[in-house]
Amino acid sequence: MFSLDWIYYAISWILLTWHSAWDAIGVPVGAVIGTNFAWILSIVFLVVTVRVILFPVFVKQIKSQRAMQALQPKVKELQEKHKGDRETLQKEMMELYKKEKANPLMGCLPMFLQIPVFLGLFHVLRRLDPDKQNKTLYGWTVDQFQSASQAKLFTAPIAGKFGSTADELASLGANGTTVKIIAGVLVLVMIATTYLTSRQMILKTGWAEDPQQRMIQRLMLYGIPASLLISGAIFPIGVIIYWVTNNLFTLGQQQWVLRKFPPPVTAKKAVAPAATRNPVQPAKSGGLFGRGKAAPPAPVKAAAPKVAGPKPGAKPVNNPKKSRPAKRQG
C-alpha cells in the first residue's frame, strides 16, 4: 500500500521550521487575545512556501489558458462543422489541442498539486490530541506537540472543527460554542473566497466555447464552493486558515498576472474600425453622466435664396419703379 508518510514529514518540517523562525524573532508563543500567533503564522507561511514552489506551474497554467483562448475561434468552427456528431467533435478538438500544444486540464493543475499538501496538513492537525501516546511522530518533539495542541485562534483550538464531538472538545479543553462560531465564520469566508478566485478569472477571460472547458469552469465556480458548505464541517480550523490564506494569495496573484498580461481580445470584444463607426453621436442630456434622453438636434437655419446676377454681355435691365418719374402735384 502506498504510504503518505513522506507528505506528513514534509508538512511537519515546514510548520516546525516556520514556528522556530517566529519564536526566534520574538512573535508571542503564548496566547495573546486568545491567539497563538506563532502557530497561526506558521500555517500562513506554509501557504507561501507551497505557492513559491508551485509558481512555475502557475505560469504554465496562465500560458495554457491564453492558448485555449486563442483557439476559441477554431473550436467554434469545429462545433459548427460537427454539430450533432459529439464523438467526431471530441476527436477533432483533441487533435487540435495536441497540434497547438494546449491542455484544457492545465487550469486545474495547481489545485490538484495542492491536494497532497491539504491532506498532509489535515492529517497532521488531526493528531494534535493531548491524549495521543506517540507525540514524536513525523519529527515532532514532545514540547512542540504540546505547544501545537494548545495553539488557539480566538480561544478556539486550531485542531478543533465545527463537527467536533464532545470527547474531542474535552480533550482539547475547548468550548463547543466558541469552536462552532469561529469554525462557522471561517467556513463561510472559505466558501466566499473560493468562489471569488474562480469568478475573477472567468470575468477576465470569459466563458470557454469548448464544452469540456466550460464544464470545468462551472465546476470551479459553483461545484467546489457548494461542496465546502458540507465538507467544511470536518476541516480543522488550522486547515481552514490554510485554505482561506491560499485563496487570498491566489486572488492577489491572479490580479497581478491579469493586469501585467491581459487576456487577448477576442472577436466579440474587438473594437469596430474607425471607418465603420458613426463619427457624429447625438449628445445626451440629463445630468453629469448623460443618462437622460438624447438632446434634440440644433435647428438648421434656412439658407437665403441666391439672386441670379446678369449674364455676361447682357444689357442691364432698368427697374421700372425707379425709372418712372414722380407725378407732379398741383
Side-chain angles (χ1 to χ4, degrees):
M1 184 176 177
F2 181 72
S3 175
L4 296 177
D5 282 356
W6 67 274
I7 295 177
Y8 307 146
Y9 274 102
I11 298 301
S12 297
W13 181 83
I14 295 173
L15 283 175
L16 295 174
T17 300
W18 278 114
H19 182 266
S20 298
W22 299 124
D23 190 14
I25 292 172
V27 173
V29 178
V32 178
I33 61 172
T35 303
N36 300 84
F37 286 100
W39 283 110
I40 301 300
L41 287 174
S42 298
I43 296 174
V44 170
F45 276 79
L46 170 64
V47 176
V48 176
T49 304
V50 173
R51 295 307 296 261
V52 169
I53 295 172
L54 293 181
F55 186 75
V57 179
F58 178 77
V59 173
K60 287 185 179 181
Q61 176 196 19
I62 296 298
K63 289 182 178 180
S64 177
Q65 289 173 339
R66 295 291 187 268
M68 293 297 298
Q69 279 186 284
L71 289 178
Q72 291 307 305
K74 294 183 179 180
V75 170
K76 197 167 184 179
E77 288 179 8
L78 290 176
Q79 288 174 340
E80 294 293 332
K81 181 179 179 181
H82 302 291
K83 186 179 293 185
D85 190 352
R86 188 174 184 82
E87 184 177 351
T88 305
L89 175 62
Q90 291 295 332
K91 183 180 178 181
E92 291 286 337
M93 286 198 299
M94 289 300 104
E95 291 179 357
L96 176 64
Y97 294 151
K98 185 177 180 180
K99 179 182 177 183
E100 301 293 338
K101 297 180 180 180
N103 187 354
L105 300 178
M106 181 61 73
C108 302
L109 186 59
M111 184 187 69
F112 288 145
L113 291 179
Q114 291 188 73
I115 290 177
V117 181
F118 174 81
L119 294 176
L121 181 63
F122 181 84
H123 178 80
V124 168
L125 292 178
R126 280 187 62 190
R127 52 177 307 277
L128 291 180
D129 183 354
D131 296 336
K132 292 282 185 183
Q133 296 298 321
N134 188 356
K135 295 179 171 60
T136 59
L137 192 62
Y138 310 133
W140 292 67
T141 66
V142 175
D143 291 340
Q144 289 169 336
F145 183 90
Q146 294 290 359
S147 175
S149 63
Q150 296 171 5
K152 295 177 174 62
L153 174 66
F154 302 121
T155 72
I158 61 174
K161 50 185 179 293
F162 188 89
S164 291
T165 63
D167 292 339
E168 290 173 339
L169 292 171
S171 65
L172 293 170
N175 180 276
T177 303
T178 302
V179 170
K180 287 186 183 299
I181 291 174
I182 299 299
V185 170
L186 286 175
V187 167
L188 293 178
V189 175
M190 176 176 63
I191 293 171
T193 53
T194 301
Y195 171 79
L196 289 175
T197 53
S198 299
R199 183 174 179 270
Q200 180 189 50
M201 186 61 72
I202 292 174
L203 285 178
K204 292 291 184 179
T205 60
W207 288 96
E209 298 287 347
D210 177 14
Q212 183 180 6
Q213 188 76 1
R214 183 180 285 253
M215 182 183 66
I216 294 174
Q217 287 179 322
R218 290 187 182 278
L219 174 65
M220 298 286 289
L221 185 62
Y222 302 114
I224 294 178
S227 68
L228 293 176
L229 188 61
I230 299 173
S231 60
I234 65 172
F235 294 163
I237 288 175
V239 170
I240 304 176
I241 292 172
Y242 173 90
W243 194 304
V244 171
T245 305
N246 185 66
N247 286 343
L248 295 176
F249 196 100
T250 301
L251 282 170
Q253 194 176 55
Q254 285 183 169
Q255 184 68 18
W256 178 81
V257 170
L258 290 171
R259 281 188 177 183
K260 194 169 184 64
F261 307 103
V265 179
T266 59
K268 292 181 180 180
K269 296 180 181 180
V271 180
T276 61
R277 291 188 224 146
N278 184 4
V280 179
Q281 297 293 339
K284 292 184 178 182
S285 62
L288 179 62
F289 298 101
R291 293 181 181 177
K293 297 180 180 179
V300 180
K301 295 181 180 180
K306 295 182 179 180
V307 180
K311 294 182 180 181
K315 294 182 178 179
V317 179
N318 294 328
N319 190 336
K321 293 183 180 181
K322 291 183 179 180
S323 58
R324 187 180 301 169
K327 295 181 178 181
R328 295 181 180 178
Q329 294 181 357

